[in-house]
Structure formats: C-alpha cells, structure tokens
Amino acid sequence: MTAKRSDEAEPPRDTRAPDVSAPPKVAAGPSAVLSTARFIGASTRGLRTLRHLNQVDGVDCPSCAWPDPKHRSSFEFCENGAKAIASETMAKTIDGRFFAAHSIPELLAESDRWHDAQGRIVEPLLRDEGSDRYRAIPWNEAFTLIGDTLRGLETADEAIFYTSGRASNEAAFTYGLLARALGTNNLPDCSNMCHESSGRALGEAIGIGKGTVQLEDFAKADVILCAGQNPGTNHPRMLSTLAEAAEAGAHIVAINPLEEAGLVAFAHPQKASGLLGQGAPISADHLRVRVNGDLALFRGLAKAVLELGADEAFIDEHTVGLGPYRARVRATEWDEIEAMSGIARKPLQRLAARLRSGKLITCWAMGLTQHRNAVHTLREVVNLHLLVGAVGKPGAGFCPVRGHSNVQGDRTMGICERMPDAFFDRLFAATGIAAARHHGVDTVGAIEAMHDGRARFFMGLGGNFLQASPDTDLVARAFERCDLTVQVSTKLNRGHLITGKRALILPCLGRSERDLGPDGKARFVTTENSMGLVQSSEGRLAPIGAALRSEVDIVLGIAKAAVGDGGAIRWDALADYAEIRRLIQAVIPGFDDYETRARGGGFALPNGARERVWNTASGKAEFSDHPLSAFVARPGHFVLQTLRSHDQFNTTIYGEDDRYRGVRGGRRVVFMHPKDMERLGLRALQPVDLTSHFEGQIRRVEHFRVVPYALPVGSLAAYFPEANPLVPAGSYAEGSRTPTSKSVEVSVRPTPTAVAGVPA
C-alpha cells in the first residue's frame, strides 16, 4: 500500500454552507421526541432495548454516565441514549465482503457519519502489510498474530493498551491484568483527555478524585453552579435533575462562554407541558465568562465570600492552609479579576451572598478541565467550597460530570499508568502477578512513544484514539510507525483506516446484546456512574453476528496467546465473570460482597469526603495558594475551544445538525462574535482557514464556515474531531497532562480559493 498522507486522518472537507438560524431558548420537548423517533425508526432491536435501558437488571446506557434516579420511569432514557442504541442495534453489518468492495483509500474519502451508518462489524478483519484492504480471518489466527507480536517486543513497554469509557468494569480489570502480566503499565485511557484534571485537583485537596454528591443532594441545594458544561447535548438526563432542583428553589447559575439551551429551559418530554414545548426555567443567571476566565471568576467569588465572612467553624475543624490562601485572595485586585474573567464585580458579589448557607453544588465538565491551568482552576473551586463549608453535607459538594458511561469505572479498576504500591501489593496477593511498578504512559505519552519508535504495538479497547486525541496528524504518523495496531470495536471509524504496518479489527458485542458464557448461561457486567454508584448491565438482544465475542473474551483470548497461564491466573476460568468480580473484590477497596450487591440493585463505593473524612497527607481538606492566570492569545489571534454538536457522541457522528445552536446541514463551522467578524471583514458563512500557533509550530485546517454567535469577543468555537488537528499534543494541563482542547491560539484568514472567486 502506498504511504498515506497524514491529512487523510482528518474528515473530508464538506464545502457546503449549512443553514443557520437563531439558537432556541429551550431544550428537549417535542423536537427531542421527534429526533428520538427518527433515529430509532421501526427498529425492533432498538425499541426492545429502550424498554430495558437504565432499568434495574436492564442495560446500562452506553452513552453518558449520569446516574439513574431511585424512582425510575418506564422511559428512563434521553435523546442521546436513543441515538446510541439506534447506532448499536442497527441491522446492517460489515464483514470481509464489505472490505473486498471498499479499499481503505475509498473509505478514507467518506465522512465519519457515513462510516457509522455502514453497520456493525461482525467478523475479525486483518489488513496485511502493503495491502489497501482488510480481509476476514478466524479468531485463533488473530489471537496468534497478537500473541506473536507481543512476545516479539524487546520490552513490554513497547506495547500500548488504551481503553475508552464504554468498557465494563470486568473488561477493564481483565485488560489491566493482561498489560501487567506482560510487564507494562502503559494503560492510557479517555480520562487522560477529560477529567484527569478533576481527579488530580480533588485528590490533592479532599483525598478522593471523584465527586462527592448524590442525586438527592440537588433538591436540597440553595445554589448550583454549572461551569464549562453543556448538559443539553452531553448528558441530557441531567436536565430533569436541574429542573427539579430549580422548582425546589435552587438558584442555578450557568458559567460558560456560550449560552446553552439546556441551561436556559427544559421542556420535559414525558410531561404534557414539555410535549407542547413549554420549558421550565433552569438557570437564573448566565455568567458569560471569558474562555479560561474561570479561575479568576471563582477567585472573585472567594474574595467576595471572605469580605462577607467565611464558615470559620468548618475551616478550623476540617481544613488547613487558609492563611496563605486568604493573603493571596486579599492581595488580588478586583480589576484583575474582572479583566481575566470578563465578569463585573457586582454580579460576583451578589452571587457570593447566596453561597454562605454552604448548600452549594458545583458541576463542571471539559470547559474547566482542558486548559493549561485546569488543576489550579479546580483547586480554586475547592477553595470556594471550603470557605463556606460546602462539602460533606446534604445539598453540597462537587459534581464533575463524566461524559462516557464507565470512564470513572475504568479508573477505579486500575486503568491508569501510575497506580499506588498498595494496588500492586493486593494484585500480587490475589493473582501472583508481580507487576512492574514504574509509571507507564498516558495519552500524550503514548502518542510520543509511538511517534518516536519507543512503542511498536497499539491496542484500543473501544473508542477512536485517532480522532479523540489532540493533534490528529501527529497521531496518524504515530500509528503508521507501529508494527501492529489492534482495535476492539462495534462500528467502523476513521481510526481503523490509519493503521500500523498491519492492523486488526476485532468485533465485540454491544452492551445491548446477550453475552453467553462457555456454559451457555447469560453473563452480566457492571459499570460505575458519575456519582460512584456501581450497577449491573445485562444485554437482552441476540447478537447481530454469530462470530461476535464479548470484550472480556477477546482480552482473555489475547492473554492466553501472549502470556499463558501463570501464578493464580487461569485465563479460561475468567470466562465466568463471577471469578473476575472475585479478583476485583480482592484487589479494589469498596467491592466487598461484590457479586451479591451488584445483583441487588447496585451499591455506592466508599467516599470519605462525603463523610468529611479527608484522606490527604494532612488528614484535612487543603486550601491551595496560587496566582491568577488565564490563557491569552497574542494580538490579532483568537482563543479557540473545541466542542460537540448535538448530533454526535464523542467522535461518533450521528448527523450533521446542531439544533441547539441553530446549525443544520454542516459541521465544518467556526462560531465567532459579530464584532470580530466585522474587524476581520468577514461575512456570515464565508469560508475561512484556521491556523493554530504553539511554540513556533503551525497547524492548519481549511474551509470552515463562519457562524455569527454570542460568545466573548476574541473567542472562537468549533466542533471536534474536525478541529482536533489544531490542538497541539505538547500543550497540556500542568499536573494532569490533559490536552488543552479548550484553549488553542489560532489565527483566521479567508479561504484563498473563496477570495479568488472559486464558488464556495
């Protein structure tokens, strides 16, 4: 096969101009019902699955990780969940005949939406070195190829084992066993690209890198801050919780550069008023913070609280470090806070007055975590809560909102490049695996290792590493330098088409499908949601293909081929998932009586901070002291943030519309304030090229349509994965190494062909 150009890793250009209208002021309602019906259609498989979605002993939604309420409705799913199920349960299939008819260059020319629409992959596929097509192979040959490749590496650290948040606890734990039995901790995962900053900040400050609230806390809160998130698109079931909290009297504040429909009003599609399009108000205020102005905004709230009087009793009993922090805040001038945040002093003082009851919940997502100063920003969020005693009591605490169904569970299971010694001690006692204890690579490190030739094997357990990662062209070149790349997948994506010298696609069961063990009995798996609750999930549908295997069985097949039995591990025995859960119970704290409790409706994992037990070095919650900072582009440049459209889930594209932002029929768009357009002499929907600037490096994407939008002057927004080539892999958060996808310095110029008169 001829060498591929790195730009083939990017979605093909769509030069059509989209239709643009004013964004709506209400989310869900009849439009969500119609969208759900359109995606599910007459699919019997999809309709059957929706009946069991998020029900006790049903199927855990493969979309977001928002928790299930104690009292569930018969339709406990949202539009996003329905789209995910429609995609997973479609009747179309892909096998060797599909690839015989479609070469890789031909497939690269198709859109990401087209890839997803081709159907479920139903047999193992191999791309031989030099070939431009995949061909079907038997499972045993696939396992042998992987085993031979892994045993042929000079060191185990030449292998990378990536996982996404769709993997179950059982699959993730078994995957970690495989990597550590081989001798590596190279276990990057999607947490590295999303909430790694949250885990680092919360772990340092309160002793646990997870949120501290439960669903029932929202109805007891006086104030709820939703910062850097868009629940209407990314986790729509959260809107029900927020609407109920608002009705109970909570003052909800949206802190975001863009106004998002889901935080304005919510028309509940299961209520008559919602079906009529009548939205219940959500946020009482919208603070249009500058991109990366959140640290200054929370510093302003803290300054105002200190001026009014903090909760000295809580601070004295439960915290350390107030003195240096108080001095830092008092020395911070209001002018500096206003300039960095873009928010005036008085609104912050008014809001601060509401916080003194201590019944404060702060929710956040990628808008806070994907900046260079993300860890400091989140430590500032913690500082504010500590000032008012807003943690470890009803109606108060932290809520980092996870965007993938089991990304939090993967980390709990030990999918991490640096685990503490206590984990390895328990692992050895339970399994006999004397794992290497040196740190492995995270996502950025994995890209660098493959690109530099230090890693020759890549395996992805779900996900689309190519397009989820920053710097798409660099990742493409890194993949091409591997000897073998392996993807465990349900659907075709662009990551299957930019590969190592050889490549395998291993098809797995969807979460909606029955998972039968060697004895013919149904097996269930478990997941952990955003609030630390573990629940079971059991598919009900017949698998769409007879050759499909579960993620666990695929990992076990590789382990037998690459490692063989050893110590207390007999890989075949782990085909009984109860045996995996027995090992998890022995290795991971909090999983006592795992089998029984998982089947009994689920259980909450221990959370010391929720009980005001601080597992920190000092034994108390810790204030942090750091100067203000904000990402500022050079004169004439802009700060770009990447974001999702409404018709996508992570890198999976379901459609080309974003109805909550008024865009239909196109994804290659850049949102810009009208004043910035005027300054550059740009008109609406004019094609432009975007160039990112980082340490002398230049990255460019072309032919994006300008969409006028109400966001801060000097700020831009564009969809990923289309804009991911602009994100430098070398730009990441201090302390967490999360790529800075929300603060990219870019310049804008009209697309030259459009200027020359070529039809746009």
Side-chain angles (χ1 to χ4, degrees):
M1 183 178 178
T2 58
K4 296 182 288 295
R5 301 189 317 277
S6 61
D7 63 3
E8 291 179 332
E10 302 173 23
R13 294 182 199 169
D14 184 352
T15 58
R16 297 173 301 163
D19 294 326
V20 176
S21 60
K25 296 293 186 181
V26 60
S31 61
V33 175
L34 291 173
S35 177
T36 298
R38 177 169 61 88
F39 275 94
I40 288 292
S43 168
T44 302
R45 289 171 58 84
L47 291 169
R48 285 179 57 197
T49 301
L50 289 181
R51 290 193 296 112
H52 300 289
L53 201 61
N54 297 320
Q55 301 296 329
V56 176
D57 296 327
V59 180
D60 187 49
C61 183
S63 187
C64 84
W66 191 250
D68 304 318
K70 290 182 179 179
H71 303 290
R72 307 181 198 195
S73 73
S74 300
F75 303 97
E76 196 57 58
F77 58 86
C78 67
E79 179 186 351
N80 275 18
K83 291 173 184 174
I85 292 302
S87 176
E88 181 176 295
T89 60
M90 66 170 51
K92 291 177 66 176
T93 59
I94 291 176
D95 56 15
R97 291 171 296 181
F98 174 88
F99 284 97
H102 298 85
S103 69
I104 289 175
E106 291 169 352
L107 293 172
L108 282 166
E110 300 290 352
S111 70
D112 296 336
R113 179 188 181 190
W114 186 92
H115 291 158
D116 185 73
Q118 299 316 296
R120 289 284 300 281
I121 304 169
V122 293
E123 60 183 342
L125 299 158
L126 170 67
R127 186 184 77 77
D128 294 299
E129 185 170 2
S131 174
D132 69 349
R133 297 170 197 270
Y134 280 95
R135 62 179 177 88
I137 63 168
W139 278 105
N140 64 323
E141 289 186 21
F143 292 147
T144 298
L145 173 57
I146 297 171
D148 290 347
T149 301
L150 289 171
R151 288 196 307 274
L153 299 176
E154 292 184 14
T155 72
D157 285 334
E158 291 184 320
I160 307 288
F161 294 92
Y162 171 79
T163 184
S164 81
R166 65 144 282 154
S168 66
N169 288 334
E170 290 76 8
F173 185 81
T174 308
Y175 198 52
L177 287 183
L178 165 62
R180 292 179 170 115
L182 286 166
T184 186
N185 288 303
N186 286 347
L187 285 159
D189 74 329
C190 53
S191 284
N192 298 148
M193 293 182 274
C194 58
H195 273 291
E196 196 72 52
S197 300
S198 304
R200 177 59 61 92
L202 292 172
E204 293 172 350
I206 62 172
I208 185 169
K210 300 180 180 182
T212 64
V213 298
Q214 297 292 299
L215 278 183
E216 53 266 28
D217 287 311
F218 282 80
K220 301 171 184 176
D222 290 337
V223 180
I224 300 171
L225 306 181
C226 295
Q229 67 169 150
N230 175 17
T233 286
N234 297 339
H235 17 264
R237 287 200 299 154
M238 182 180 179
L239 298 182
S240 298
T241 303
L242 292 176
E244 291 168 2
E247 188 176 0
H251 185 86
I252 300 176
V253 182
I255 302 171
N256 205 48
L258 288 74
E259 182 179 75
E260 302 289 8
L263 288 173
V264 177
F266 172 55
H268 200 308
Q270 295 184 34
K271 295 182 178 180
S273 59
L275 287 174
L276 294 173
Q278 299 172 8
I282 299 291
S283 57
D285 292 314
H286 174 214
L287 299 180
R288 195 183 300 280
V289 66
R290 288 182 52 188
V291 174
N292 196 222
D294 305 276
L295 172 54
L297 184 150
F298 280 96
R299 175 67 56 84
L301 291 174
K303 186 174 181 69
V305 166
L306 284 170
E307 291 170 352
L308 293 168
D311 185 342
E312 299 292 345
F314 173 86
I315 291 170
D316 290 344
E317 181 179 357
H318 291 287
T319 76
V320 295
L322 174 63
Y325 176 66
R326 192 201 307 260
R328 172 79 69 178
V329 174
R330 286 176 173 170
T332 305
E333 299 294 337
W334 275 109
D335 287 349
E336 186 181 14
I337 290 169
E338 290 179 332
M340 283 194 180
S341 69
I343 306 298
R345 174 178 180 173
K346 287 188 176 180
L348 296 179
Q349 290 176 320
R350 286 196 297 269
L351 177 56
R354 293 180 175 272
L355 307 182
R356 299 182 66 207
S357 71
K359 292 187 175 182
L360 164 67
I361 294 174
T362 300
C363 310
W364 69 87
M366 307 302 94
L368 263 60
T369 66
Q370 293 180 329
H371 299 280
R372 187 165 183 80
N373 62 356
V375 175
H376 284 172
T377 297
L378 292 166
R379 289 299 301 267
E380 195 70 20
V381 172
V382 175
N383 289 340
L384 175 64
H385 277 250
L386 297 184
L387 287 176
V388 297
V391 59
K393 68 180 185 181
F398 307 107
C399 184
V401 183
R402 310 284 177 163
H404 211 328
S405 61
N406 198 42
V407 60
Q408 186 160 299
D410 283 358
R411 182 54 56 88
T412 300
M413 291 297 104
I415 297 297
C416 183
E417 76 280 1
R418 49 181 183 187
M419 292 295 289
D421 284 343
F423 169 85
F424 291 111
D425 293 341
R426 293 189 297 267
L427 183 68
F428 177 75
T431 68
I433 294 176
R437 301 196 178 199
H438 61 273
H439 291 176
V441 296
D442 56 13
T443 289
V444 171
I447 296 168
E448 295 169 342
M450 290 187 288
H451 185 267
D452 297 344
R454 291 179 284 114
R456 298 159 47 202
F457 172 91
F458 174 91
M459 180 173 172
L461 185 65
N464 179 353
F465 188 86
L466 172 75
Q467 292 182 279
S469 299
D471 209 336
T472 310
D473 294 351
L474 179 65
V475 179
R477 294 194 297 272
F479 269 3
E480 290 171 347
R481 294 179 183 181
C482 290
D483 294 335
L484 178 65
T485 49
V486 180
Q487 308 282 356
V488 178
S489 306
T490 56
K491 307 287 289 292
L492 177 67
N493 65 59
R494 197 165 299 275
H496 300 137
L497 308 176
I498 304 291
T499 73
K501 296 179 179 69
R502 291 188 292 181
L504 282 165
I505 306 173
L506 305 181
C508 65
L509 293 170
R511 199 174 285 176
S512 61
E513 292 170 314
R514 280 198 306 270
D515 181 0
L516 301 180
D519 58 1
K521 295 182 180 179
R523 302 178 289 191
F524 72 91
V525 295
T526 60
T527 59
E528 178 187 346
N529 64 37
S530 273
M531 295 181 183
L533 303 176
V534 177
Q535 62 269 312
S536 66
S537 178
E538 184 174 340
R540 305 297 180 91
L541 300 178
I544 195 67
L548 296 180
R549 297 196 180 193
S550 73
E551 291 173 314
V552 171
D553 285 341
I554 292 171
V555 174
L556 294 178
I558 294 170
K560 287 191 293 183
V563 181
D565 290 333
I569 292 290
R570 296 292 181 269
W571 300 106
D572 282 337
L574 300 186
D576 178 355
Y577 295 174
E579 287 300 304
I580 301 175
R581 289 187 280 271
R582 181 184 62 79
L583 290 179
I584 293 172
Q585 181 174 315
V587 176
I588 310 295
F591 284 83
D592 301 333
D593 200 17
Y594 190 3
E595 190 75 14
T596 301
R597 290 197 294 162
R599 269 303 196 195
F603 57 95
L605 292 174
N607 190 307
R610 193 178 293 147
E611 308 300 325
R612 293 188 170 177
V613 175
W614 318 106
N615 295 311
T616 62
S618 65
K620 292 191 174 184
E622 299 185 358
F623 283 95
S624 61
D625 169 30
H626 43 263
L628 282 191
S629 62
F631 185 80
V632 179
R634 286 169 288 180
H637 289 186
F638 297 85
V639 179
L640 170 76
Q641 61 171 320
T642 65
L643 37 71
R644 284 185 192 175
S645 77
H646 191 63
D647 270 357
Q648 75 179 97
F649 176 71
N650 292 342
T651 58
T652 301
I653 309 301
Y654 301 126
E656 296 176 344
D657 297 345
D658 189 353
R659 72 172 186 271
Y660 289 164
R661 296 193 182 100
V663 178
R664 288 176 172 78
R667 294 182 47 81
R668 210 169 178 87
V669 300
V670 57
F671 299 98
M672 179 181 286
H673 194 283
K675 289 184 179 179
D676 288 322
M677 294 173 58
E678 182 180 1
R679 178 171 60 83
L680 295 182
L682 299 174
R683 65 183 186 277
L685 300 181
Q686 181 174 345
V688 295
D689 299 343
L690 308 175
T691 302
S692 76
H693 305 264
F694 175 73
E695 296 183 347
Q697 305 165 17
I698 298 296
R699 295 164 177 81
R700 180 174 291 115
V701 294
E702 300 174 343
H703 213 108
F704 276 58
R705 300 281 183 161
V706 178
V707 174
Y709 211 80
L711 71 171
V713 171
S715 302
L716 305 176
Y719 300 131
F720 68 83
E722 286 82 0
N724 276 8
L726 296 171
V727 183
S731 178
Y732 44 76
E734 296 173 341
S736 71
R737 289 171 57 87
T738 300
T740 58
S741 300
K742 295 293 187 289
S743 52
V744 183
E745 181 176 350
V746 301
S747 57
V748 180
R749 68 170 188 180
T751 299
T753 53
V755 172
V758 176

